[in-house]
């Protein structure tokens, strides 16, 4: 059945935060968004080698796990077959080995991002959701004594964690982006430093001398150099000591660090030496928390998918944004640009080389087929009244020809299906870009660009007009293969 979209994303504005959160916080030493993502991305990329070592089970056994009740979220975005979306959380909790980074009550993510892994496109896209984003937060239920819950309200996106823990943050991200989240991963400060040291440091080109007392007393000379864990931690969270001091400019520098870190893992000795790999993974697993459904087998599946991903197809983007009109230290998302990006991610239309999404035998004809060249017979197998008529009208508006409507004869396929003839695959792929979910199947009774669309009970409608993977120019992408300017 089609998913019912929530009628509201929260409308009660100006709601006061619970008293527990109304406090004066000390200056925080924050690990930056891209630094957290470097930890997760690198761990996932190298995971393809995990099963080669007997230490695999011992290492993964050190991961902390947390139960997340996604059934309580209500209506959720649709799941895209094969795709894995991971919510990345950089927790700012200060306890245990992280106590040296200051005292802070409660928990708000320093970082929030979505890692979108697409085996079909052989790509991975990491979308930064700036922690200072002002959004409409949904209501959160109280969770034990630690999380007080809250009504729907306007606030910073990372406040959801303070109100209702990971459950609330997960639900908030899904409702704001309409992207189905499959898992979450959280990393701490100590793990980041340990990973960098386990790699033997990460080489960076520092354009000018850095002196930043607020980043742990960071002192770096200009030029090419290898940063150890402590210096790397200072570098990725340094803001006032570099450039214009803005958080957005810092994100750009951090993405360069992240790319260098991933390149070192893939090109160095980490994957070649069991001892090096074991040391590196010990730092990863000892400092992360995941949902309890991110099992060893699931990690292995993700690792296998990532093994096929080229560095050029590991990309990092930040949600298009602008200073919030009521406070320039906060940001608001650019619309409709942000939603167009989210939709492209949600439907697996963004990332990778577009031709990779099609099979090798699709040839160059796909780009030459236009909607006006295609004729579609629309058959309604959902049991919903007048759906075929409605769909045929939308197809006509989008330039497709409609040869007829009706109900399918015989057995209705479990999944909505676009049938095409031996020479009609390019036309079927063009139609598939318009609908939210449909599989392709060859039918020798069809010829040319004549298609048959059979809508089954999983039918979920059309994508927004024009949303075929193209996103606005305001969405800037940076590849893991890109290198910073030479010193």
């Amino acid at each position: 059945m089609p998913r019912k979209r929530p009628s509201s994303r929260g409308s009660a504005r100006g709601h006061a935060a619970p008293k527990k959160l109304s406090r004066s916080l000390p200056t925080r030493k924050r690990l930056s968004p891209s630094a957290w993502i470097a930890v997760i991305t690198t761990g996932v990329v190298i995971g393809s080698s995990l099963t080669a070592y007997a230490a695999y089970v011992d290492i993964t056994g050190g991961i902390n796990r947390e139960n997340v009740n996604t059934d309580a979220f209500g209506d959720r975005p649709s799941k895209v077959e094969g795709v894995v979306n991971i919510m990345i959380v950089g927790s700012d909790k200060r306890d245990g080995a992280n106590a040296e980074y200051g005292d802070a009550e409660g928990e708000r993510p320093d970082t929030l991002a979505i890692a979108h892994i697409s085996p079909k496109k052989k790509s991975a896209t990491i979308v930064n959701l700036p922690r200072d984003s002002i959004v409409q937060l949904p209501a959160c239920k109280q969770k034990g004594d630690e999380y007080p819950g809250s009504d729907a309200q306007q606030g910073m996106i990372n406040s959801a964690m303070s109100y209702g823990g990971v459950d609330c943050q997960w639900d908030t991200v899904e409702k704001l982006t309409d992207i189905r989240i499959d898992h979450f991963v959280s990393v701490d400060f100590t793990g980041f430093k340990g990973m960098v040291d386990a790699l033997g440091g990460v080489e960076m080109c520092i354009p000018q001398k850095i002196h930043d007392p607020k980043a742990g007393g960071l002192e770096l000379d200009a030029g090419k150099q290898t940063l150890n864990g402590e210096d790397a931690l200072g570098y990725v969270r340094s803001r006032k000591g570099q450039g214009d001091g803005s958080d957005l400019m810092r994100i750009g520098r951090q993405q360069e660090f992240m790319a260098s870190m991933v390149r070192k893992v893939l090109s160095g000795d980490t994957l070649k030496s069991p001892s090096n790999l074991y040391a590196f993974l010990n730092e990863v697993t000892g400092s992360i928390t995941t949902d309890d459904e991110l099992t060893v087998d699931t990690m292995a599946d993700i690792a296998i998918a990532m093994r096929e991903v080229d560095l050029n197809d590991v990309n990092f983007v930040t949600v298009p944004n602008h200073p919030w009109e009521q406070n320039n230290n906060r940001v608001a998302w650019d619309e409709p640009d942000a939603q167009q990006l989210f939709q492209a991610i949600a439907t697996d239309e963004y990332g990778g080389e577009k031709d990779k999404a099609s099979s090798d035998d699709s040839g160059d004809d796909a780009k030459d087929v236009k909607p006006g060249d295609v004729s579609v017979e629309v058959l309604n197998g959902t049991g919903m009244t007048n759906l075929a008529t409605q769909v045929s009208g939308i197809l006509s508006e989008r330039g497709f020809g409609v040869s007829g409507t009706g109900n399918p004869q015989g057995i209705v396929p479990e999944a909505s299906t676009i049938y095409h003839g031996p020479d009609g695959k390019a036309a079927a792929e063009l139609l598939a870009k318009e609908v939210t979910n449909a599989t392709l199947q060859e039918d020798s009774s069809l010829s040319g660009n004549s298609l048959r669309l059979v809508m089954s009970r999983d039918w979920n409608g059309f994508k927004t007009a024009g949303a075929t993977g193209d996103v606005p120019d305001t969405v800037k992408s940076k590849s893991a293969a890109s290198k910073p300017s030479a010193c």
Side-chain angles (χ1 to χ4, degrees):
M1 294 296 290
R3 180 176 62 84
K4 207 165 79 174
R5 187 181 295 273
S7 59
S8 170
R9 297 187 187 273
S11 57
R13 300 189 175 214
H15 219 68
K19 290 183 178 179
K20 178 181 178 182
L21 300 174
S22 299
R23 60 187 180 274
S24 179
L25 294 177
T27 300
R28 297 185 177 189
K29 299 180 179 181
R30 297 175 181 271
L31 185 60
S32 64
S34 291
W36 290 119
I37 297 168
V39 175
I40 302 301
T41 304
T42 308
V44 171
V45 169
I46 69 166
S48 57
S49 297
L50 282 174
T51 53
Y53 302 100
Y56 177 55
V57 175
D58 292 337
I59 291 172
T60 57
I63 297 174
N64 300 310
R65 306 212 180 259
E66 183 170 338
N67 176 261
V68 178
N69 182 20
T70 55
D71 291 339
F73 295 175
D75 292 318
R76 300 183 63 199
S78 299
K79 169 70 178 172
V80 176
E81 177 104 19
V83 165
V84 178
N85 293 314
I86 303 174
M87 181 178 73
I88 300 172
V89 174
S91 172
D92 66 356
K93 271 195 170 182
R94 305 290 194 275
D95 53 19
N98 297 296
E100 65 181 281
Y101 294 100
D103 236 353
E105 184 185 352
E107 181 179 12
R108 292 185 184 182
D110 271 343
T111 284
L112 197 58
I114 300 170
H116 172 76
I117 300 170
S118 173
K120 175 183 176 182
K121 289 181 172 291
K122 297 182 180 179
S123 70
T125 303
I126 295 87
V127 184
N128 276 290
L129 308 176
R131 63 173 183 252
D132 294 335
S133 300
I134 300 298
V135 297
Q136 284 301 124
L137 301 168
C140 288
K141 294 181 179 179
Q142 180 177 347
K143 185 176 180 182
D145 295 330
E146 186 175 2
Y147 301 107
S150 67
D151 293 334
Q153 60 182 289
Q154 186 183 57
M156 287 173 53
I157 191 171
N158 68 348
S159 296
M161 181 78 85
S162 296
Y163 297 139
V166 172
D167 299 62
C168 183
Q169 193 69 72
W170 187 324
D171 187 33
T172 295
V173 169
E174 283 198 344
K175 284 183 167 56
L176 288 172
T177 66
D178 216 16
I179 295 172
R180 174 80 170 225
I181 302 298
D182 301 293
H183 303 287
F184 93 91
V185 178
S186 174
V187 191
D188 66 26
F189 296 136
T190 304
F192 174 78
K193 292 194 303 180
M195 285 179 64
V196 174
D197 286 335
L199 287 174
V202 173
E203 186 177 88
M204 287 297 295
C205 177
I206 309 301
Q208 59 186 22
K209 185 175 181 179
I210 300 174
H211 170 69
D212 191 348
K214 293 186 177 181
L218 181 66
E219 296 278 357
L220 292 176
D221 292 328
K224 185 181 294 185
Q225 55 200 283
T226 298
L227 304 184
N228 62 22
E230 192 67 45
D231 285 341
L233 179 60
Y235 178 76
V236 297
R237 60 184 172 84
S238 172
R239 183 162 61 94
K240 299 297 183 183
Q242 300 185 66
D244 64 4
S246 71
D247 193 55
L248 293 178
M249 180 171 282
R250 176 172 61 170
I251 287 176
R253 294 191 299 268
Q254 294 156 354
Q255 288 176 341
E256 290 183 352
F257 179 88
M258 175 171 33
S260 294
M261 191 172 182
V262 174
R263 285 197 302 271
K264 180 158 188 178
V265 170
L266 295 182
S267 62
D269 294 328
T270 303
L271 299 182
K272 300 175 184 177
S273 164
S275 60
N276 289 351
L277 180 64
Y278 185 86
F280 182 81
L281 291 176
N282 259 333
E283 296 295 345
V284 178
T285 59
S287 304
I288 71 173
T289 300
T290 73
D291 58 285
D292 56 8
E293 292 191 4
L294 187 52
T295 63
V296 170
D297 288 341
T298 303
M299 290 180 184
D301 290 341
I302 295 173
I304 291 170
M306 288 295 293
R307 187 160 42 190
E308 301 297 321
V309 176
D310 186 87
L311 278 177
N312 288 294
D313 291 322
V314 177
N315 288 288
F316 311 96
V317 300
T318 301
V319 176
N321 62 81
H322 60 274
W324 187 43
E325 57 183 10
Q326 297 181 38
N327 184 343
N328 286 339
N329 292 321
R330 303 287 180 258
V331 299
W333 294 345
D334 293 338
E335 297 297 357
D337 299 15
Q339 292 305 319
Q340 289 177 347
L341 170 63
F342 295 148
Q343 185 177 47
I345 294 291
T347 55
D348 196 27
E349 291 289 345
Y350 183 81
E353 297 176 17
K354 291 185 177 180
D355 289 342
K356 285 184 180 179
S358 304
S359 62
D360 294 338
D361 61 357
S362 61
D364 295 329
D365 295 335
K367 62 183 179 182
D368 297 327
V369 178
K370 297 177 176 57
D373 302 327
V374 181
S375 178
V376 186
E377 180 185 15
V378 182
L379 302 180
N380 177 14
T382 68
M384 298 174 62
T385 306
N386 296 326
L387 182 61
T389 301
Q390 296 171 19
V391 168
S392 64
I394 294 173
L395 288 174
S396 296
E397 290 175 358
R398 299 191 179 192
F400 290 86
V402 177
S403 61
T405 61
N407 299 316
Q409 301 297 314
I411 299 175
V412 177
E414 289 187 8
S416 297
T417 304
I418 298 172
Y419 295 92
H420 62 86
D423 300 322
K425 187 170 184 180
E429 290 172 343
L430 183 65
L431 177 58
K433 289 182 178 181
E434 299 290 331
V435 303
T436 300
N437 60 315
T439 60
L440 306 187
Q441 185 170 325
E442 185 173 324
D443 183 340
S444 59
S445 68
L446 297 171
S447 61
N449 290 331
S450 294
L451 306 175
R452 183 181 302 116
L453 170 62
V454 178
M455 298 174 290
S456 301
R457 290 189 178 275
D458 69 335
W459 174 252
N460 201 27
F462 287 84
K463 301 171 186 174
T464 300
T468 56
D470 295 325
V471 295
D473 293 338
T474 53
V475 177
K476 304 299 182 183
S477 174
K478 181 172 293 187
S479 165
S482 64
K483 297 182 179 181
S485 302
C487 292

